[in-house]
């Protein structure tokens, strides 16, 4: 594994701090933008936290991603306000435009990963999606391809 | 004339394009060498009118324009300068006709007192509006006096359950330990609610001040704000506010020259609804899976790292400084005997004025929706309003006289919850809504209790069957039985309340369930499997496009002849409907 140095640095930073496992894993995740099995195993070896515990935490929270991610993360809101404002048609359009099949969530060229989330807190602009840190509201299916063009 | 301009840069404003508006103003001012003070503020609650721009002359005359675009700003500013302000799109003003003046007058803003008015990143702005004066006052009081004031105010926790805050503080105060914690619950998990986000983005110091006062009262020297990671802007504003408060001596050692010390940390959530539940939240701060623990012991005896801990919601804490400064009796002038004060609601869904409002408790739901909320967004009539998110329920039109207070709302089978109000019209299918919530709770169940883990899944399966037209009449009874058992057999509020959305929709919208089961019909036209696509013979010209695009070859017909959809093969994907250029497909 080629990230050992970076991970060592993160472990050192949190050494001895209580309740550090989640922020530690969040930082480790930032290196590759997902948590690989190797990375989790390495953290376990270096910290004496049992691998089962690390894996338990990583699978419990949706922020932890266990598969390689696309360059841009699209979060489509499936909260109540968006649901009643037909977020499903936006989701359908996104999956079509990104040519995602079955339960795929990352495009074949690795540019986009699509995630469904519950509420982005912009319910008054439903339906809403976020690409990286940018929020887009009052979406209609026709607006999707135009928005996606801005991201390469 | 001394001019200043404010732009609302909360998450909602940014999503509506306020960032571009702000940049355009900055550029316009620079290019025209105008000496106008440009300021940032957050959300004033009129989210449906975003982006918002306020122009103020000499700190007095003010106009707020709604739905501002970058292209307009030059005209708006110029017209204002020459004393002939443009009268269109004025949403608020103290000297012009404005569409939302009345909307704001109907509200009573205690929690939102600074939101949309101050620059949330400026501690000076907060101080200029009596910021940290309540802390100063509190530090001169006996700790017990603060707790008594809270008890007298009757403030009830705004996180959902409505537990009296003063009483909760007293439990923590009475706990004997040299280490205690205070925690702010900013996990805001209800999908469709954004009160806490707006307060944290718009007035972070009010929450921090509430926490410091609480910490002093109960005897805590360390605190955590647990904020969901989906709110990056709120986290940024909080971080800045903490640094500034430390620099001013409101946090840290020897606060305001006393020997009271308090250290505040931020913990970012990692995405799990159940972590809004207080014991799960504490497990998460400790770095574990966020699984609820058995109570008792209650957090006031044994909470974070087994130390006495007091946990309060964001909105609860934002009330504290106001109460200390203005007094419990002033607070009690608003609201009802049982539910004093005000409540912030996030209006969303099919309502015209979607956004954030704060009203006195005890006001009828009707006045919230048709008064402050401005009524329905489209011509479709009102059907129900969902209160309390996944733990709450849908209140029908016949109960709109219900007043907004804890007891009255509980009577309907819904709950006050944290303040999300999602308004639904006749285009919403109530069975689908129930299914939506069960899908949510089923995914978010932490899995500890069998009934919650498996029971919600079984309920979801039944609801899915019904929405696909495969439901049986016995299913309704099964749903009721499962609900009863899940409520009884779950440890925490997630499971105990998960069946509420199903129970309330079955109670108030039974005919919709029966329609799906008996007639295989969804009047709202939402349930995909119950839709029917047919070709209108008069309009079809036989262009063959639909037949070519149909993914399952369910459409047949020759060129230039009327086509036909085979209903048994049709998967209701709707592609034919979308691609037909002649409106020759009927969807029912
Ligand atoms: C499943 C579940 C989710 C909850 N989510 C939240 C939440 O997002 N925010 C919140 O303040 N309280 C939430 N609560 C309520 C908390 O457990 C707790 O009662 C509250 O934070 C106490 O603060 P208060 O007394 O100021 O209301 C939730 C409870 C349950 C059972
Ligand atoms: S429900 Fe979609 S942003 Fe809140």
């Amino acid at each position: 594994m080629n990230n050992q140095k970076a991970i060592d640095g993160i472990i050192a930073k949190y050494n001895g701090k209580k309740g550090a496992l989640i922020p530690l894993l969040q930082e480790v995740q930032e290196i590759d933008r997902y948590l690989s099995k190797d990375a989790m195993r390495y953290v376990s070896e270096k910290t004496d936290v049992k691998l089962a515990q690390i894996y338990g935490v990583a699978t419990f929270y949706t922020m932890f991603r266990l598969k390689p991610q696309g360059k841009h993360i699209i979060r489509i809101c499936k909260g109540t306000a968006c649901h009643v404002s037909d977020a499903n048609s936006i989701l359908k359009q996104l999956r079509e435009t990104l040519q995602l099949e079955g339960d795929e969530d990352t495009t074949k060229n690795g540019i986009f990963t699509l995630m469904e989330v519950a509420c982005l807190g912009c319910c008054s602009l439903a339906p809403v999606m976020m690409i990286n840190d940018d929020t887009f509201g009052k979406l209609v299916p026709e607006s999707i391809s135009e928005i996606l063009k801005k991201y390469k | 004339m001394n001019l200043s301009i404010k732009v609302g840069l909360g998450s909602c404003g940014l999503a509506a394009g306020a960032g571009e508006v702000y940049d355009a103003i900055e550029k316009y001012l620079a290019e025209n060498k105008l000496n106008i003070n440009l300021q940032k503020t957050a959300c004033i609650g009129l989210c449906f009118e975003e982006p918002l721009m306020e122009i103020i002359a000499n700190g007095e005359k003010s106009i707020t324009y709604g739905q501002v675009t970058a292209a307009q700003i030059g005209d708006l500013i110029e017209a204002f300068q020459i004393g002939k302000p443009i009268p269109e799109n004025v949403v608020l003003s103290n000297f012009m006709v404005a569409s939302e003046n009345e909307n704001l007058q109907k509200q009573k803003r205690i929690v939102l007192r600074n939101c949309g008015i101050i620059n949330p990143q400026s501690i000076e702005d907060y101080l200029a509006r009596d910021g940290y004066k309540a802390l100063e006052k509190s530090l001169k009081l006996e700790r017990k006096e603060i707790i008594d004031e809270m008890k007298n105010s009757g403030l009830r926790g705004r996180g959902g359950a409505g537990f009296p805050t003063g009483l909760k503080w007293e439990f923590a105060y009475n706990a004997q330990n040299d280490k205690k914690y205070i925690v702010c619950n900013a996990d805001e998990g209800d999908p469709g609610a954004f009160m806490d986000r707006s307060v944290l983005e718009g007035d972070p110091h009010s929450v921090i001040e509430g926490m410091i006062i609480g910490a002093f009262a109960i005897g805590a020297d360390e605190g955590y704000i647990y904020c969901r990671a989906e709110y990056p802007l709120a986290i940024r504003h909080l971080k800045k506010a903490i640094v500034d408060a430390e620099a001013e001596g409101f946090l840290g050692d020897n606060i305001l020259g006393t020997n009271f010390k308090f250290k505040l940390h931020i913990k970012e959530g990692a995405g799990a609804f159940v972590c809004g539940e207080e014991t799960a939240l504490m497990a998460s701060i400790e770095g574990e899976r966020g699984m609820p623990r058995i109570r008792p012991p209650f957090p006031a005896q044994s909470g974070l790292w087994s130390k006495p801990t007091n946990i309060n919601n964001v909105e609860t804490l934002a009330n504290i400084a106001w109460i200390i400064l203005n007094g419990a009796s002033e607070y009690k002038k608003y609201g009802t005997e049982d539910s004093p004060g005000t409540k912030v609601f996030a209006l969303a869904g099919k309502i015209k004025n979607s956004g954030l409002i704060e009203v006195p408790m005890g006001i009828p739901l009707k006045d919230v929706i048709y008064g402050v909320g401005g009524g329905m967004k489209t011509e479709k009539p009102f059907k129900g309003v969902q209160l309390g998110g996944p733990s709450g329920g849908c209140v029908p039109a016949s109960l709109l006289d219900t007043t907004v207070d804890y007891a009255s709302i509980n009577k309907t089978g819904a709950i006050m919850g944290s303040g999300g109000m999602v308004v639904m019209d006749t285009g919403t299918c109530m069975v689908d809504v129930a299914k939506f919530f069960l899908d949510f709770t089923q995914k978010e169940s932490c899995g500890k209790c069998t009934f919650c883990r498996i029971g919600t899944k079984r309920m979801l399966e039944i609801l899915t069957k019904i929405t696909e037209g495969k439901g049986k009449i016995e299913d309704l009874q099964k749903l009721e039985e499962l609900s009863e058992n899940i409520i009884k057999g779950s440890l925490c509020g997630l499971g105990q309340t998960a069946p509420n959305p199903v129970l309330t929709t079955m109670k108030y919208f039974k005919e919709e369930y029966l329609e799906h089961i008996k007639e295989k019909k969804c009047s709202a036209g939402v349930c995909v499997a119950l839709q029917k696509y047919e070709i209108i013979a008069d309009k079809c010209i036989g262009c063959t496009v639909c037949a070519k695009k149909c993914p399952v070859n369910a459409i047949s017909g020759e060129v230039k002849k009327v086509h036909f959809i085979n209903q048994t093969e049709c998967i209701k994907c709707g592609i034919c409907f979308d691609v037909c250029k002649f409106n020759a497909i009927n969807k029912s």
Side-chain angles (χ1 to χ4, degrees):
Chain A
M1 213 180 47
N2 45 15
N3 293 326
Q4 293 188 353
K5 262 223 180 88
I7 298 181
D8 286 340
I10 296 167
I11 292 174
K13 180 172 149 195
Y14 285 102
N15 188 16
K17 289 204 181 144
K18 52 186 181 177
L21 185 56
I22 294 171
L24 188 152
L25 290 179
Q26 276 168 333
E27 270 193 48
V28 171
Q29 168 163 285
E30 272 168 35
I31 306 174
D32 284 331
R33 309 180 60 251
Y34 82 106
L35 279 177
S36 65
K37 286 199 176 121
D38 284 345
M40 286 190 268
R41 210 170 276 133
Y42 186 74
V43 171
S44 168
E45 276 164 25
K46 289 279 162 172
T47 57
D48 280 342
V49 178
K50 294 223 164 35
L51 187 57
Q53 196 186 343
I54 293 179
Y55 194 68
V57 165
T59 50
F60 187 84
Y61 296 99
T62 52
M63 287 279 167
F64 292 115
R65 298 179 292 263
L66 306 181
K67 284 188 296 187
Q69 300 294 299
K71 188 169 153 206
H72 304 292
I73 308 277
I74 306 176
R75 291 170 220 267
I76 166 96
C77 176
K78 297 268 296 195
T80 320
C82 291
H83 182 76
V84 303
S85 305
D86 206 13
N88 277 332
S89 70
I90 310 295
L91 179 64
K92 192 173 143 214
Q93 184 66 43
L94 271 170
R95 298 194 65 89
E96 240 164 62
T97 315
L98 298 172
Q99 298 178 339
L100 295 172
E101 282 159 25
D103 55 3
E104 275 177 357
D105 58 2
T106 301
T107 53
K108 287 166 195 77
N109 58 11
I111 302 283
F112 291 105
T113 290
L114 179 63
M115 281 162 75
E116 294 176 24
V117 297
C119 195
L120 294 163
C122 292
C123 323
S124 47
L125 301 170
V128 179
M129 71 170 176
M130 227 169 144
I131 304 186
N132 305 331
D133 280 342
D134 305 327
T135 311
F136 301 88
K138 296 190 182 165
L139 295 172
V140 286
E142 294 75 40
S143 58
I144 296 300
S145 66
E146 203 52 40
I147 295 174
L148 292 183
K149 269 188 207 147
K150 292 182 213 152
Y151 297 85
K152 293 241 160 59
Chain B
M1 196 161 37
N2 185 357
L3 284 192
S4 52
I5 294 180
K6 282 185 195 174
V7 181
L9 294 173
S11 290
C12 40
L14 289 172
E20 286 98 74
V21 170
Y22 184 89
D23 292 344
I25 300 174
E26 205 167 39
K27 194 163 150 233
Y28 177 83
L29 297 183
E31 277 171 3
N32 295 286
K33 303 208 168 54
L34 292 174
N35 187 17
I36 294 180
N37 178 7
L38 177 60
Q39 297 166 9
K40 296 177 182 173
T41 184
C43 174
I44 194 160
L46 303 170
C47 309
F48 61 103
E49 290 283 7
E50 296 278 7
L52 294 167
M53 167 173 106
E54 184 181 7
I55 313 184
I56 310 152
N58 304 324
E60 285 166 18
K61 282 181 146 187
S62 125
I63 299 185
T64 303
Y65 287 102
Q67 313 212 9
V68 178
T69 61
Q72 287 173 332
I73 52 133
D75 294 344
L76 292 175
I77 296 171
E78 202 173 310
F80 193 99
Q81 274 181 314
I82 58 169
K84 288 189 185 140
I86 294 176
E88 282 88 36
N89 287 337
V90 176
V91 292
L92 295 174
S93 176
N94 51 10
F95 71 101
M96 300 250 302
V97 180
S99 59
E100 303 305 325
N101 274 355
E102 230 182 291
N103 176 334
L104 234 56
Q105 276 153 15
K106 284 184 201 136
Q107 302 189 32
K108 171 65 203 166
R109 292 164 84 94
I110 292 177
V111 172
L112 303 179
R113 58 193 180 273
N114 294 324
C115 286
I117 295 170
I118 65 168
N119 176 352
Q121 303 215 62
S122 155
I123 194 167
E124 291 81 17
D125 274 21
Y126 183 68
L127 290 170
R129 289 177 62 92
D130 290 340
Y132 292 104
K133 290 233 172 78
L135 174 63
E136 228 170 275
K137 182 171 170 187
S138 300
L139 292 180
K140 292 184 192 127
L141 297 173
E142 290 297 323
R143 289 164 49 204
K144 192 78 181 65
E145 282 178 294
I146 301 175
I147 288 170
D148 287 339
E149 190 73 2
M150 281 306 132
K151 279 167 78 178
N152 288 337
S153 76
L155 173 66
R156 297 174 64 166
R158 300 293 191 239
F163 193 83
T165 306
L167 211 56
K168 200 187 251 189
W169 284 18
E170 190 169 51
F171 292 149
Y173 169 86
N174 285 335
Q176 298 299 321
N177 208 306
D178 44 12
K179 182 82 192 172
K180 293 183 194 173
Y181 292 100
I182 186 164
V183 175
C184 167
N185 188 341
D187 199 44
E188 193 154 64
D190 172 3
F194 49 94
M195 303 75 49
D196 296 350
R197 172 186 67 75
S198 295
V199 173
L200 293 171
E201 282 180 8
D203 194 14
H205 285 288
S206 70
V207 178
I208 294 173
E209 186 175 5
M211 280 188 90
I212 307 174
I213 295 171
F216 176 69
I218 67 167
D221 66 355
E222 204 171 348
Y224 286 90
I225 301 175
Y226 187 90
C227 186
R228 68 194 295 240
E230 286 86 349
Y231 291 174
L233 192 64
I235 293 174
R236 222 158 57 226
H237 287 186
L238 275 173
K239 281 186 177 158
K240 166 100 169 72
I242 290 177
V243 170
D244 290 347
E246 277 169 357
E248 296 282 338
F250 301 125
L251 282 172
D253 294 333
N254 303 109
I255 293 175
L256 293 176
T258 65
N259 55 17
F260 167 55
K261 62 174 186 197
F262 182 57
K263 186 150 181 52
L264 189 52
H265 314 272
I266 297 176
K267 273 273 171 178
E268 269 181 51
F273 170 68
V274 71
C275 287
E277 196 279 335
E278 55 191 28
T279 59
L281 186 151
M282 292 185 296
S284 181
I285 294 181
E286 290 170 12
E288 318 254 329
R289 286 162 70 97
M291 311 271 261
R293 298 167 182 168
I294 294 178
R295 294 175 306 183
F298 286 93
Q301 280 93 47
S302 170
L304 206 48
W305 288 292
S306 308
K307 301 291 180 200
T309 303
N310 179 78
I311 172 160
N312 279 125
N313 162 265
V314 169
E315 189 185 330
T316 314
L317 291 165
N319 274 298
I320 307 294
W322 193 96
I323 295 174
I324 294 286
L325 272 188
N326 297 277
S329 51
E330 187 62 26
Y331 188 73
K332 277 172 106 163
K333 283 190 188 154
Y334 304 99
T336 65
E337 180 74 34
D338 156 77
S339 313
T342 58
K343 177 81 196 83
V344 181
F345 288 102
L347 302 181
K350 303 294 174 68
I351 193 161
K352 192 164 144 271
N353 302 353
S354 56
L356 212 63
I357 59 156
E358 182 171 357
V359 289
M361 294 268 201
I363 142 173
L365 266 177
K366 195 172 58 200
D367 291 1
V368 174
I369 292 165
Y370 289 98
V372 190
M376 303 302 289
K377 188 148 77 180
T378 62
E379 311 85 68
K380 285 192 185 160
F382 175 89
K383 188 175 200 174
V385 53
Q386 215 284 340
L387 303 178
S391 306
C394 288
V395 179
S398 57
L399 292 179
L400 278 184
D401 285 325
T402 306
T403 52
V404 175
D405 59 77
Y406 288 95
S408 306
I409 291 185
N410 285 348
K411 249 189 251 155
T412 67
I415 59 163
M416 175 81 79
S418 55
M421 270 198 196
V422 181
V423 175
M424 298 164 184
D425 62 20
T426 48
T428 314
C429 166
M430 289 302 177
V431 185
D432 175 71
V433 168
K435 184 181 96 176
F436 165 80
F437 280 115
L438 260 289
D439 180 49
F440 180 83
T441 35
Q442 177 269 129
K443 280 187 193 137
E444 294 294 341
S445 167
C446 81
K448 188 166 181 163
C449 308
T450 318
F451 276 96
C452 177
R453 182 181 69 241
I454 303 174
T456 53
K457 208 172 177 76
R458 291 291 97 85
M459 285 181 81
L460 174 64
E461 284 164 4
I462 295 175
L463 290 164
T464 307
K465 246 174 57 187
I466 296 178
T467 56
E468 287 172 347
K470 296 178 194 151
K472 300 207 186 77
I473 205 78
E474 310 83 271
D475 286 338
L476 296 180
Q477 175 148 19
K478 262 191 221 156
L479 283 175
E480 270 171 15
E481 277 169 21
L482 277 167
S483 297
E484 203 179 305
N485 290 323
I486 294 170
I487 292 169
K488 275 195 216 140
S490 302
L491 185 65
C492 88
L494 191 146
Q496 285 161 4
T497 58
N500 282 352
V502 181
L503 292 174
T504 53
T505 46
M506 287 214 298
K507 184 166 163 197
Y508 298 121
F509 303 94
K510 185 122 189 197
E511 67 290 350
E512 275 186 54
Y513 281 85
L514 293 174
E515 180 191 73
H516 281 73
I517 295 172
K518 287 188 181 158
E519 299 169 43
K520 318 277 175 228
K521 197 173 132 200
C522 171
S523 290
V526 172
C527 296
V528 176
L530 299 182
Q531 284 165 0
K532 194 170 173 190
Y533 291 91
E534 282 167 310
I535 291 179
I536 309 168
D538 293 351
K539 290 190 180 168
C540 176
I541 61 148
C543 72
T544 73
V545 167
C546 60
K548 282 190 194 128
K549 293 276 176 178
C550 177
V552 290
N553 292 324
I555 305 181
S556 55
E558 288 169 37
V559 187
K560 295 198 179 151
K561 295 227 171 97
V562 173
H563 281 48
F564 173 77
I565 303 178
N566 181 340
Q567 296 299 333
T568 48
E569 277 170 40
C570 173
I571 55 163
K572 338 268 179 188
C573 67
I575 292 179
C576 54
F577 184 82
D578 292 340
V579 295
C580 180
K581 291 198 183 82
F582 306 94
N583 295 324
I585 309 240
N586 181 41
K587 174 174 157 184
S588 58

